[in-house]
Amino acid sequence: MLPRWELSFYLLASLGFHFYSFYEVYKTSREHEEQLDQEFDLAMGTLFGGLKKDRTDFEWSFWMEWGKQRLVWLLLGHLAVSQMANQIARKMQQREHCPLRVSLAVLARGLGRLLCCWCLAELMVHLMYMHAIYGSAPLLSAVSCWTLGGLALAQVLFFYVKYLVLFGVPALLMRLDGLTPPPLPRCVSTMFSFTGMWRYFDVGLHDFLIRYVYIPVGGSQHGLLGTLVSTAMTFAFVSYWHGGYDYLWCWAALNWLGVTVENGVRRLAETPCVQDSLVQLLSPRARRRVHAALASCSTSMLILSNLVFLGGNHVGRIYWNRIFVQGWPWVTLSVLGFLYCYSHVGIAWAETYSVN
């Protein structure tokens, strides 16, 4: 819908914002390496030229140590057992089974993808000590705005790559058994709404929540108030499932509010009078730009809620104060401008994703 040059500009600008802000995080990590090492005991790295590693993310460190020792043997053992089970089932039911060479090809592709994602995640925690910096409130409060933005991007992108690995292992096991796993998470840099984040990051969790929580407590069958209550109960369940800590309730409340506002705006925009007015007053390209402008506001709150989830309430407060209170108007408007570019890329990606 947009001219190719305009969409290309948004894509290049988004990539430029990513890489420059990551460079700022890298510089800050190097400048404060000794301080962070004393406070968080950075690991001596054996990869990437001996750079130290930020091992503050317990989940990644635990599962990767486990995976180094057992993952390959687990996958090979599962492949052997799966082939024997398929042979027995074929003899009993006279059905076709997946040939060994096909299973080996699936295993090789899956392991290659997992290795690439693992290397990328390891590179990130060697070059950027984003978890350790988030653990140091004075340092986080003092870094530049570019570094602050880069830390936010690094945190959510590392979370994405980490779950490509953690979700990729069971997905590979399912493929070896001839099953179709849920889609892997969509890149968070292409997310521009709370609704899309919940629908496409963890598809299995989304389907589970809809089927076993949202619909049983009433869903959308009891009017607006019933929908609001059902959505609130669903997010309350998610918060309790993740541990029920104070920052998780705050995260759940922000997501409930975000999903509610987005659905309200969408329903308003779908009413005949509003649709007719938009068609009369705005061209399709202008409507796309308005959509991206609104999405940039939603994305800013989505990132803030995810930072609360990943770093706690104190991280959310620091970002709110630095970006939206102390940084008003120029820092705030600059961030929204960057997210405007991201939103255009995300909307175009979502259209391509839905077609494919």
Side-chain angles (χ1 to χ4, degrees), residues 30-248:
R30 300 280 78 77
E31 291 170 2
H32 298 274
E33 182 174 5
E34 184 176 349
Q35 171 190 343
L36 294 172
D37 191 15
Q38 292 176 354
E39 189 171 354
F40 298 100
D41 190 23
L42 303 175
M44 293 301 298
T46 57
L47 304 172
F48 310 113
L51 290 172
K52 291 185 177 180
K53 172 183 175 180
D54 181 359
R55 56 182 178 184
T56 315
D57 189 305
F58 171 78
E59 185 178 37
W60 177 253
S61 299
F62 173 81
W63 284 113
M64 289 309 101
E65 287 301 319
W66 179 89
K68 289 177 184 178
Q69 301 172 10
R70 300 178 177 87
L71 181 59
V72 174
W73 297 111
L74 170 67
L75 293 173
L76 290 175
H78 184 87
L79 174 63
V81 173
S82 177
Q83 286 296 311
M84 289 189 291
N86 284 333
Q87 290 283 356
I88 296 172
R90 187 175 71 130
K91 291 180 180 178
M92 295 179 63
Q93 302 178 11
Q94 296 299 315
R95 69 178 185 179
E96 295 183 357
H97 76 290
C98 184
L100 178 59
R101 64 177 181 276
V102 175
S103 295
L104 288 173
V106 170
L107 178 63
R109 286 196 301 270
L111 285 175
R113 186 180 298 112
L114 288 173
L115 180 61
C116 290
C117 293
W118 175 81
C119 288
L120 179 57
E122 284 291 310
L123 181 64
M124 293 180 72
V125 294
H126 280 79
L127 293 178
M128 299 181 289
Y129 303 147
M130 58 270 194
H131 301 102
I133 294 174
Y134 267 29
S136 176
L139 178 57
L140 184 62
S141 301
V143 297
S144 68
C145 291
W146 271 109
T147 304
L148 204 65
L151 286 167
L153 290 173
Q155 275 278 5
V156 295
L157 282 170
F158 177 80
F159 185 74
Y160 161 67
V161 176
K162 175 174 70 174
Y163 275 92
L164 285 181
V165 177
L166 298 184
F167 288 178
V169 173
L172 178 56
L173 294 176
M174 291 181 67
R175 290 191 183 94
L176 291 175
D177 284 340
L179 303 175
T180 302
L184 292 176
R186 188 190 294 185
C187 179
V188 292
S189 290
T190 65
M191 298 292 188
F192 55 91
S193 68
F194 285 89
T195 306
M197 185 71 180
W198 281 97
R199 184 171 294 164
Y200 297 117
F201 185 81
D202 189 343
V203 178
L205 175 62
H206 173 265
D207 293 345
F208 173 86
L209 292 173
I210 294 295
R211 179 176 299 179
Y212 297 109
V213 182
Y214 180 73
I215 292 177
V217 298
S220 59
Q221 302 302 314
H222 302 287
L224 177 60
L225 181 60
T227 301
L228 293 175
V229 172
S230 299
T231 307
M233 292 293 291
T234 303
F235 282 113
F237 173 82
V238 174
S239 174
Y240 183 76
W241 187 0
H242 281 83
Y245 301 107
D246 289 345
Y247 74 94
L248 292 173

Side-chain angles (χ1 to χ4, degrees), residues 263-276 278:
N263 286 334
V265 172
R266 178 179 56 80
R267 290 186 179 185
L268 179 63
E270 289 175 351
T271 57
C273 62
V274 174
Q275 280 193 334
D276 292 341
L278 291 175

